[in-house]
Amino acid sequence: MLITEDKYFIFDKPRNENFVYKTKYCITVMQCIGYKVLKTIFRKKASDDKKYYVSICGIFKDEAFYLKEWIEYHKKAGVDHIYLYNNNSTDNYLTVIKPYLEEGYIDLINWPKSQAQMEAYHDCFNRFRNETSWLGFIDIDEFIVPIENKSVKEYFKEHAYEQSILIYWKMFGSNGLIHRDIKRPVTKDFTSCWYKYDDIGKCFINTEFEISDKQPILHHMLWTKRGVFNMPPVNCCGKICPRDWYNPADRDVFPIQINHYVLKSYDEYMSKVNKSDVMFTQNPKGEEHFRRHDRPSTSTDFTISKFLEK
């Protein structure tokens, strides 16, 4: 029997919780004991002396309509700096981000390689790790929302000794919109969301550590390393997560989340999937993906509004 959710999460991929799964689960629990020891041995505080404390890296292609809101929001939410990788955009993105470039809030890196998103992330880490204490990798449709803290920076200050932190998606649906004026804010037009968290998210790394090559898609499961030792991320509940299907939690509302506006309106979604992007030459997602992600959006979440008022 396939299981599609548990107490806290809707699973991105249904699970067959058979004997093999339960065996792997028990092994993972035992492994976490060892990882906890490693985590203690190699414990190192994120630096307070770098130019920025918390920064994000994003890569975009022809997303000028969404850039200003995304940048302005994270500026208000307490992100110190943004590294933006332009992947062959042909729209007016430069006009949109020019004020932020001039004030120094953004570094713009032209990245002409096709479907090289992970390579761009590694480049960002290697190029800028010495000027930021924490670096996260998120997309232009993702907004970091601290729940218990006043800002993103305050949250990471309180977790300065972690190596890598996994923050889960709160998935937002279409609000029943087929068409939409895309000049309107995404964060105000879409408030319907999943009734539980997605069991996938994005990671931030303490740049005192190296990035491990254990996970090829590093922004979902960012392992760190010190010498020959590889260490998995902890999630925002403080639990070690060595497998992408192992996500222990102990509360209904997490202290921080990433609002993922994966669909927007139907027209926006179809426009997105019918063109290439930073990851896919031909996007494999279609109408079934839209329906599957819109169907569980039976709750609402207005937490992000505390920053929108600013």
Side-chain angles (χ1 to χ4, degrees):
M1 179 180 176
L2 292 177
I3 308 297
T4 58
E5 60 186 87
D6 62 15
K7 183 178 180 180
Y8 303 106
F9 298 102
I10 296 175
F11 302 148
D12 190 72
K13 296 178 181 178
R15 301 174 188 171
N16 187 353
E17 296 189 355
N18 53 20
F19 176 78
V20 174
Y21 171 85
K22 291 177 181 178
T23 301
K24 289 181 178 178
Y25 187 93
C26 292
I27 292 172
T28 301
V29 171
M30 296 300 293
Q31 287 176 327
C32 285
I33 298 172
Y35 287 129
K36 189 172 183 179
V37 173
L38 283 179
K39 184 172 175 288
T40 303
I41 293 172
F42 294 111
R43 189 169 182 258
K44 191 166 185 179
K45 185 180 180 182
S47 173
D48 289 313
D49 300 324
K50 295 184 179 181
K51 188 176 181 180
Y52 311 114
Y53 192 76
V54 56
S55 302
I56 54 179
C57 171
I59 182 170
F60 66 94
K61 181 178 182 179
D62 294 329
E63 296 180 86
F65 275 118
Y66 305 112
L67 282 173
K68 182 176 181 179
E69 179 186 9
W70 186 79
I71 295 167
E72 197 65 36
Y73 168 78
H74 285 104
K75 190 177 181 184
K76 297 292 192 295
V79 171
D80 291 323
H81 195 71
I82 296 176
Y83 302 102
L84 266 181
Y85 280 65
N86 166 43
N87 187 218
N88 302 314
S89 294
T90 57
D91 57 15
N92 66 328
Y93 73 93
L94 202 51
T95 302
V96 174
I97 67 174
K98 185 179 178 182
Y100 304 102
L101 285 170
E102 291 176 346
E103 70 174 279
Y105 185 66
I106 284 175
D107 276 355
L108 177 65
I109 302 93
N110 285 312
W111 194 253
K113 301 181 180 182
S114 298
Q115 287 72 56
Q117 185 177 11
M118 294 303 111
E119 193 176 338
Y121 288 162
H122 280 284
D123 178 82
C124 186
F125 178 79
N126 294 329
R127 191 184 299 199
F128 300 112
R129 64 178 298 193
N130 290 328
E131 64 180 33
T132 187
S133 302
W134 284 93
L135 181 62
F137 305 96
I138 66 172
D139 297 332
I140 310 303
D141 60 0
E142 297 170 338
F143 293 71
I144 312 158
V145 185
I147 309 300
E148 296 179 353
N149 296 96
K150 294 179 181 178
S151 70
V152 175
K153 186 173 183 175
E154 183 180 272
Y155 171 83
F156 283 98
K157 284 280 188 179
E158 289 186 2
H159 298 82
Y161 285 97
E162 302 294 358
Q163 288 106 345
S164 173
I165 300 177
L166 170 61
I167 303 173
Y168 294 105
W169 281 335
K170 177 61 74 73
M171 303 291 277
F172 281 74
S174 70
N175 268 59
L177 296 175
I178 304 298
H179 317 288
R180 187 180 77 96
D181 179 0
I182 60 174
K183 294 180 181 178
R184 288 180 50 80
V186 169
T187 50
K188 288 190 176 182
D189 278 353
F190 300 103
T191 55
S192 67
C193 64
W194 285 12
Y195 54 88
K196 295 178 183 178
Y197 293 96
D198 194 330
D199 66 337
I200 290 179
K202 295 294 180 70
C203 287
F204 279 70
I205 184 172
N206 175 348
T207 57
E208 296 299 306
F209 294 85
E210 299 288 339
I211 291 178
S212 169
D213 58 0
K214 199 169 177 66
Q215 291 286 335
I217 309 296
L218 63 86
H219 57 337
H220 289 313
M221 279 290 290
L222 204 164
W223 284 61
T224 56
K225 65 180 178 181
R226 181 60 64 85
V228 298
F229 295 100
N230 294 297
M231 292 164 286
V234 301
N235 64 18
C236 55
C237 300
K239 310 294 185 181
I240 296 172
C241 299
R243 305 284 181 271
D244 57 5
W245 47 263
Y246 181 79
N247 295 286
D250 56 6
R251 65 197 81 179
D252 293 318
V253 178
F254 295 168
I256 191 169
Q257 66 189 36
I258 293 179
N259 285 16
H260 191 189
Y261 300 94
V262 63
L263 301 181
K264 304 183 184 74
S265 67
Y266 177 80
D267 283 352
E268 287 170 279
Y269 173 82
M270 293 308 297
S271 175
K272 179 180 177 180
V273 300
N274 286 328
K275 63 182 182 181
S276 65
D277 61 16
V278 298
M279 180 68 82
F280 302 108
T281 302
Q282 184 173 355
N283 202 312
K285 300 170 184 175
E287 292 206 22
E288 174 54 32
H289 181 270
F290 181 92
R291 289 192 293 270
R292 185 167 65 86
H293 283 77
D294 209 28
R295 198 176 298 121
S297 300
T298 57
S299 293
T300 54
D301 189 320
F302 297 93
T303 312
I304 198 171
S305 63
K306 64 183 179 181
F307 296 107
L308 303 186
E309 296 303 317
K310 297 181 181 181

